[in-house]
Amino acid sequence: MTDAQALENSSYLSSAQAASQEALYRKVLWRLVPILFLSYAMSYLDRINVGFAKLQMLGDLGFSETIYGLGAGVFFLGYFIFEVPSNLILHRVGARRWIARIMITWGLLSSAMMFVKTPMSFYVLRFLLGVAEAGFFPGIVLYLTYWIPPSRLGKALALFFLAVPISGVVGGPLSGWLLQSFHQVGSLQGWQWMLLIEGLPSVLLGVVVLVMLRDHIKDAAWLDENEKKILARNLERENTRIIGVSVKDAFALPLVWVLCLIEFCIGLGIYGMGFWMPTMIRESGVSGMLNIGLFSAIPYGVAAISMVWVAKVADARGDRKFFLALAALIGAVALYLSMSFKDTTVFAIAALTVATAGILTAFAQFWRLPTVLLSGRAAAAGIAIISSVANLSGFASPYLVGWLRDTTGSGAVGMYLTAGSLVVAAVVTILLPGRLVNRQPD
């Protein structure tokens, strides 16, 4: 039985009321998720499109793999330093204004990456991009908890997290096409046009967020008073069962730091794949920028299907822990095999596809856990703590892989290290107390 079904079958909710509430939450999802989905898709694309830019930029600017890895990763140092303050500011000033501010500044900085000439300018702009985007992801997760109670949050998060693979499905071919079609147009290189064109939509979306979103249920003109009361009552009822409510709670809970470790290990897999997949596809024998972009869409397309299917099965069985661990383990094995078959295009792409599906499915399953355990300011701080510490994997992964590629002349060692991190995530997840992470609403 799913969390939502358990809630609907409880004594205080009739079948007619349950149907009415289902319709109400569908209304909420259709109002909020499309905007947030597009925003997160652009966020992920602007974060990792440097992986496609690399295919031309390194030759044009004379950068080594280590320089690229450090530049790709330094983004996450800025993100780490400013993530918790950013999320607390969002909680204070409201999601609408703060998310819009984040998107507009990151879009402008992402486009400004076209002016990179030296390693230092690469590092500085990537760091500032991380500062600008800090707080966006945990801010969105926190924002959803203002509208949707824990028992129903799984579906909303699953839809939201689909933005990652969908951005890969659309962004890969788009990036490849821009690199190929705009190369040396108007005295600019293809990678410069790509960064410029892919950064500007985030600025426009920031304006849309400012106009369309509302901070709280009481501010939503598209809800009538009865609907507002129902949503507020459900939030209040379920939040009374959550174990942390203050900032101090978030820092003091050992489980928060265990979750940081799990998400850090999963993050090594996400960014290992995100920043290096175009290179791995090229090394498997695929030539042409557009072809590399098209092939990169395959793993993300399969990952989107996997994330939705596993979310349904995990909710039906009420076991978040098992499916998170299984997905991470499958991702680890497939990533290892992708290196074993790295010179054979068909097998390499197949292994990369399974690895991507496993890693992103584990990522989506993981983010159910903090929202079950924390509420209020503890949620604002706790989600940001987990996201910021885990995002250090975004610094560690590309830098280590780049350094290992320069040192060993092969990308295999870095991918083996990444696969090992996913095994650690699976093992630690299995050791989590099931009574907390798999609990149903009372």
Side-chain angles (χ1 to χ4, degrees):
M1 178 180 294
T2 65
D3 289 345
Q5 288 170 337
L7 182 62
E8 291 166 3
N9 290 337
S10 60
S11 59
Y12 58 80
L13 204 59
S14 70
S15 58
Q17 289 174 319
S20 176
Q21 290 201 21
E22 283 296 325
L24 174 57
Y25 280 105
R26 280 196 300 270
K27 181 178 180 179
V28 172
L29 288 178
W30 276 108
R31 180 72 183 199
L32 301 181
V33 171
I35 301 172
L36 302 179
F37 178 94
L38 288 173
S39 301
Y40 189 36
M42 289 309 306
S43 164
Y44 190 75
L45 178 61
D46 287 342
R47 183 181 298 187
I48 68 165
N49 61 5
V50 70
F52 279 93
K54 169 185 182 287
L55 299 176
Q56 291 180 347
M57 189 188 345
L58 265 63
D60 288 344
L61 302 180
F63 289 178
S64 68
E65 297 281 353
T66 303
I67 290 173
Y68 163 74
L70 179 57
V74 77
F75 166 96
F76 295 94
L77 290 183
Y79 205 104
F80 170 75
I81 294 169
F82 290 93
E83 182 137 335
V84 173
S86 178
N87 224 35
L88 292 174
I89 292 172
L90 180 149
H91 189 65
R92 176 177 297 177
V93 306
R96 180 177 62 91
R97 284 178 292 174
W98 196 246
I99 292 173
R101 192 282 307 162
I102 289 173
M103 296 185 66
I104 291 169
T105 52
W106 105 49
L108 293 173
L109 284 166
S110 183
S111 292
M113 286 287 297
M114 68 181 290
F115 298 114
V116 165
K117 297 294 184 184
T118 65
M120 184 55 65
S121 63
F122 185 39
Y123 301 152
V124 170
L125 279 172
R126 287 289 295 178
F127 179 81
L128 291 177
L129 185 60
V131 172
E133 193 181 323
F136 175 75
F137 170 77
I140 294 296
V141 175
L142 175 65
Y143 179 67
L144 287 171
T145 68
Y146 294 164
W147 297 80
I148 303 170
S151 66
R152 296 177 180 270
L153 199 56
K155 182 178 181 180
L157 289 177
L159 292 172
F160 175 58
F161 291 146
L162 276 176
V164 173
I166 294 303
S167 72
V169 170
V170 177
L174 174 62
S175 296
W177 177 75
L178 290 171
L179 287 172
Q180 182 171 297
S181 300
F182 284 74
H183 189 52
Q184 295 183 335
V185 172
S187 76
L188 294 177
Q189 304 302 312
W191 62 270
Q192 292 175 302
W193 279 112
M194 185 201 72
L195 291 169
L196 172 63
I197 293 170
E198 292 183 351
L200 293 179
S202 295
V203 178
L204 298 177
L205 275 173
V207 176
V208 172
V209 165
L210 195 60
V211 173
M212 296 292 293
L213 290 189
R214 292 295 177 267
D215 290 326
H216 300 288
I217 293 170
K218 63 182 176 62
D219 302 320
W222 46 275
L223 293 170
D224 63 37
E225 290 304 315
N226 186 54
E227 290 172 331
K228 293 177 182 179
K229 289 179 182 178
I230 292 171
L231 293 174
R233 184 182 66 234
N234 289 349
L235 283 175
E236 182 180 3
R237 178 184 292 123
E238 293 199 33
N239 285 342
T240 60
R241 296 189 291 272
I242 297 178
I243 63 177
V245 295
S246 71
V247 174
K248 181 180 178 181
D249 289 335
F251 280 94
L253 286 170
L255 193 56
V256 167
W257 299 101
V258 175
L259 294 177
C260 286
L261 172 62
I262 295 171
E263 179 63 355
F264 179 88
C265 292
I266 294 173
L268 288 174
I270 291 174
Y271 295 113
M273 295 294 290
F275 286 122
W276 296 97
M277 186 185 291
T279 300
M280 295 164 70
I281 291 174
R282 182 172 64 180
E283 291 177 349
S284 74
V286 178
S287 60
M289 298 300 174
L290 179 57
N291 289 333
I292 292 172
L294 291 170
F295 271 97
S296 72
I298 297 172
Y300 286 111
V302 174
I305 298 171
S306 171
M307 289 168 69
V308 173
W309 181 75
V310 172
K312 290 182 178 180
V313 175
D315 279 350
R317 297 193 178 185
D319 192 341
R320 304 178 185 98
K321 192 170 76 165
F322 171 77
F323 287 97
L324 196 168
L326 179 62
L329 190 59
I330 290 173
V333 173
L335 191 56
Y336 178 85
L337 292 176
S338 74
M339 290 295 99
S340 301
F341 297 104
K342 64 184 179 65
D343 296 324
T344 306
T345 301
V346 173
F347 289 108
I349 298 298
L352 285 173
T353 297
V354 175
T356 304
I359 293 167
L360 291 181
T361 298
F363 166 73
Q365 286 298 302
F366 170 83
W367 279 103
R368 279 296 305 275
L369 305 185
T371 59
V372 169
L373 298 172
L374 300 168
S375 178
R377 287 176 58 81
I383 291 170
I385 290 168
I386 294 166
S387 181
S388 60
V389 172
N391 267 316
L392 288 177
S393 64
F395 171 75
S397 180
Y399 177 69
L400 284 175
V401 173
W403 178 76
L404 287 169
R405 288 179 73 92
D406 277 340
T407 303
T408 66
S410 169
V413 177
M415 290 301 107
Y416 292 151
L417 180 66
T418 302
S421 74
L422 294 169
V423 174
V424 172
V427 171
V428 176
T429 298
I430 288 296
L431 297 177
L432 286 173
R435 63 186 176 82
L436 288 179
V437 298
N438 289 329
R439 66 197 178 98
Q440 304 288 340
D442 298 335

